[in-house]
């Protein structure tokens, strides 16, 4: 949901507070390589975070080019996303997109 971020799902470059050394921190989709990632409240994610998942779903990799770190990580995972209906109950007369409010 709103606590799931594109960085948390893919990967991030993190600087150590003491040494300043940069390390790569794998996100859920990289950690789930050859497995399954379950994303709850997909409808509440902001568009930029959903977009961050696109490379992983299409290419099955995560590319990092930040803070002098350039690498590609495998993220060959399936994604199961769950979303809640807008009005708390599913309306069979509407499409899935209209029921959950996705573009």
């Amino acid at each position: 949901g709103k606590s799931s971020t594109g960085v948390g799902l893919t990967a991030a470059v993190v600087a150590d507070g003491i040494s300043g050394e940069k390390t790569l921190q794998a996100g859920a989709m990289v950690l789930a390589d050859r497995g399954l990632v379950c994303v709850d409240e997909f409808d509440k994610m902001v568009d930029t975070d959903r977009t961050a998942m696109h490379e992983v779903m299409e290419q099955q990799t995560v590319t990092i080019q930040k803070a002098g770190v350039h690498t590609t990580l495998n993220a060959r995972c399936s994604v199961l996303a769950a979303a809640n209906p807008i009005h708390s109950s599913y309306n069979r007369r509407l499409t899935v997109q209209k029921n959950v409010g996705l573009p």
Side-chain angles (χ1 to χ4, degrees), residues 2-72:
K2 290 187 180 183
S3 63
S4 297
T5 65
V7 170
L9 290 167
T10 56
V13 175
V14 181
D16 183 88
I18 298 171
S19 69
E21 185 175 310
K22 295 174 185 144
T23 59
L24 191 57
Q25 186 174 33
M29 297 178 92
V30 173
L31 294 172
D33 186 37
R34 296 187 180 196
L36 173 70
V37 171
C38 298
V39 180
D40 193 14
E41 299 194 355
F42 191 70
D43 55 308
K44 292 176 180 64
M45 290 178 72
V46 296
D47 289 339
T48 55
D49 293 336
R50 276 197 300 265
T51 301
M53 298 173 62
H54 286 174
E55 177 192 2
V56 179
M57 292 188 289
E58 292 172 359
Q59 305 298 323
Q60 297 186 335
T61 59
V62 173
T63 303
I64 299 294
Q65 295 184 1
K66 295 180 183 174
V69 176
H70 303 283
T71 190
T72 300

Side-chain angles (χ1 to χ4, degrees), residues 43-44 83-91 99-100:
D43 55 308
K44 292 176 180 64
N84 298 315
I86 293 174
H87 301 292
S88 299
S89 63
Y90 193 84
N91 184 342
N99 267 289
V100 296

